[in-house]
Amino acid sequence: KRIIQIFKDEGLKITVEPNLRIADFLDITMNLENGKYSPYMKPNSTPLYVNAQSNHPPTIIKNLPAMIQRRISDISCNEEEFDKAKAPYNEALKNSGYSHELKFQGTPSSTTSSKRRRRRNVLWFNPPFNGNVKTDIGRKFFKLLNKHFPPGHELHRLINRNSVKLSYSCMPNVQRLVKSFNQKVLNQDSVGTAAQRKCNCRIQSECPLQNKCLEKTLVYKASVKTDGETYSYFGTSEGEFKTRYSNHTSSFRHESKKNSTELSKKIWEIKEGGKEYSITWEIAKKAFPYQGGKTKCDLCLTEKLLIVANQSKFLLNKRNEMISKCRHKNKFSLSRCL
């Protein structure tokens, strides 16, 4: 009843049809009278697939007919039902430039092994694919990996040919490019012609970020100077930097928060040693915030790139931060809505 009421509040209606002997669910029809199941397609629906001449990675073009064949076979109880349903899929493949003829594939017998397999942590490199590029990006990438992370390197345990895999990603299509451009224009219009405030410090000369403390979506760098040595720390701020700065200074004052970040740990180490120190802040790089549904976070990737590029022995960030999970995705998870 509660679910029905929620739908009604949103102007939607749930229809319940009990005692059905034949039901359609997603792309499959289930017949309870004879125990058969077969592919289902909505009336007047025509399948549409990526064209064989499209600018997609070759593995996608090559495996597309096989994936369709596997799916239709899996939702067909036997070859007879498969043959009844395959005609529109064959036609759609032909119209997309494929010569493959769909054939029924029985369900393969499962060969389960009792041997326990250790799950390996894998870093994926997903360069965009473009058929106009003749350079073998994958081969060049792995050559660089072997050159810069050889056996004996401090990061070889994390970055090697067994822990790093490559898979090409697709370039954005024209629709996505137009949509992205329109969104950019609309965002500029919403800001208006009035100049944005970048600092609200009472004393402008004491602003921690050179009168830019209200900047958002950035990677910042903190430099800690003590005893003639300079330690560096990189962090991200999706909201206003001033809020992130306040959290840092709070962890410097309250001992209960000394383990909040690697930066606060270092500050407390210096304070407990009775030494003097000074901190300067700067914008290391601007980045785009994470948007729900996307597969990557520009903010996190930019921070990781700066950490990797910094070869100083006085870097406070831990190297394992490079394989940490993006925390900006959490606010888009369904659990936040429940």
Side-chain angles (χ1 to χ4, degrees):
K1 290 182 179 179
R2 182 188 172 193
I3 294 177
I4 294 176
Q5 186 59 46
I6 292 174
F7 273 73
K8 284 184 177 180
D9 294 341
E10 300 297 331
L12 302 174
K13 183 180 179 181
I14 297 179
T15 303
V16 180
E17 299 181 27
N19 303 323
L20 290 176
R21 306 301 296 176
I22 301 176
D24 302 321
F25 180 71
L26 299 179
D27 62 344
I28 183 172
T29 296
M30 295 171 285
N31 192 325
L32 300 181
E33 293 180 348
N34 54 23
K36 292 184 177 182
Y37 55 91
S38 59
Y40 168 73
M41 188 182 298
K42 291 182 178 180
N44 302 322
S45 177
T46 303
L48 183 62
Y49 301 121
V50 173
N51 195 280
Q53 302 300 320
S54 179
N55 194 3
H56 278 70
T59 51
I60 293 180
I61 302 297
K62 180 181 177 180
N63 293 313
L64 183 62
M67 289 188 293
I68 297 169
Q69 180 173 279
R70 179 75 267 168
R71 177 57 185 168
I72 300 174
S73 298
D74 288 344
I75 59 178
S76 300
C77 60
N78 52 43
E79 188 171 359
E80 180 183 356
E81 296 296 331
F82 177 88
D83 291 337
K84 290 180 182 178
K86 72 177 183 179
Y89 300 98
N90 265 330
E91 186 66 23
L93 284 173
K94 183 179 178 182
N95 293 337
S96 297
Y98 298 91
S99 58
H100 183 87
E101 187 71 23
L102 298 178
K103 297 179 181 179
F104 179 73
Q105 285 182 291
T107 305
S109 56
S110 59
T111 56
T112 56
S113 175
S114 59
K115 184 178 179 181
R116 183 179 178 182
R117 296 182 178 178
R118 180 172 59 89
R119 186 176 180 181
R120 178 179 293 157
N121 291 325
V122 176
L123 295 173
W124 284 96
F125 175 50
N126 303 112
F129 175 84
N130 192 317
N132 297 319
V133 178
K134 301 303 180 183
T135 305
D136 192 337
I137 301 296
R139 179 173 295 180
K140 295 280 187 181
F141 169 74
F142 283 118
K143 281 185 177 180
L144 289 173
L145 188 145
N146 293 333
K147 176 182 177 181
H148 295 286
F149 300 96
H153 192 278
E154 59 180 342
L155 295 178
H156 180 75
R157 186 174 62 87
L158 296 175
I159 304 178
N160 55 70
R161 291 295 294 268
N162 293 323
S163 63
V164 178
K165 304 295 181 183
L166 182 141
S167 177
Y168 286 103
S169 60
C170 297
M171 295 284 286
N173 56 27
V174 176
Q175 181 182 6
R176 284 183 59 186
L177 292 173
V178 172
K179 185 178 179 181
S180 175
F181 175 78
N182 290 341
Q183 189 65 41
K184 182 179 180 180
V185 173
L186 291 174
N187 289 340
Q188 290 176 347
D189 292 342
S190 63
V191 172
T193 55
Q196 279 186 299
R197 291 187 65 190
K198 293 186 177 182
C199 177
N200 63 353
C201 296
R202 293 182 180 179
I203 304 176
Q204 297 285 315
S205 60
E206 296 181 1
C207 178
L209 204 64
Q210 299 83 46
N211 299 331
K212 296 180 181 180
C213 60
L214 297 183
E215 287 277 8
K216 299 180 180 180
T217 60
L218 55 89
V219 179
Y220 59 86
K221 178 183 178 182
S223 300
V224 182
K225 295 183 179 180
T226 178
D227 279 353
E229 297 175 343
T230 303
Y231 295 87
S232 301
Y233 174 84
F234 292 97
T236 61
S237 177
E238 187 177 20
E240 294 178 353
F241 169 79
K242 197 163 190 177
T243 303
R244 189 77 186 96
Y245 172 76
S246 299
N247 293 335
H248 276 302
T249 54
S250 176
S251 66
F252 301 160
R253 294 192 306 269
H254 304 287
E255 191 173 2
S256 59
K257 300 178 181 180
K258 63 183 295 184
N259 294 323
S260 298
T261 62
E262 295 299 322
L263 178 60
S264 60
K265 289 179 184 178
K266 189 62 183 179
I267 295 299
W268 277 97
E269 178 186 325
I270 296 172
K271 290 170 64 176
E272 290 171 353
K275 301 176 183 178
E276 295 293 328
Y277 69 92
S278 63
I279 306 179
T280 55
W281 306 82
E282 60 182 288
I283 298 177
K285 199 79 173 177
K286 289 284 290 181
F288 295 102
Y290 175 78
Q291 294 181 356
K294 289 195 172 182
T295 57
K296 59 184 178 181
C297 175
D298 184 55
L299 201 57
C300 289
L301 291 176
T302 303
E303 179 192 24
K304 293 174 182 178
L305 177 62
L306 292 172
I307 293 174
V308 172
N310 191 296
Q311 299 296 321
S312 172
K313 63 179 181 179
F314 299 116
L315 180 67
L316 297 178
N317 298 86
K318 297 295 184 182
R319 293 296 180 182
N320 57 14
E321 290 183 31
M322 292 186 296
I323 57 174
S324 61
K325 188 177 180 181
C326 172
R327 61 182 179 273
H328 303 113
K329 296 181 180 180
N330 296 336
K331 64 181 180 181
F332 294 96
S333 61
L334 185 60
S335 59
R336 291 295 183 95
C337 303
L338 300 177

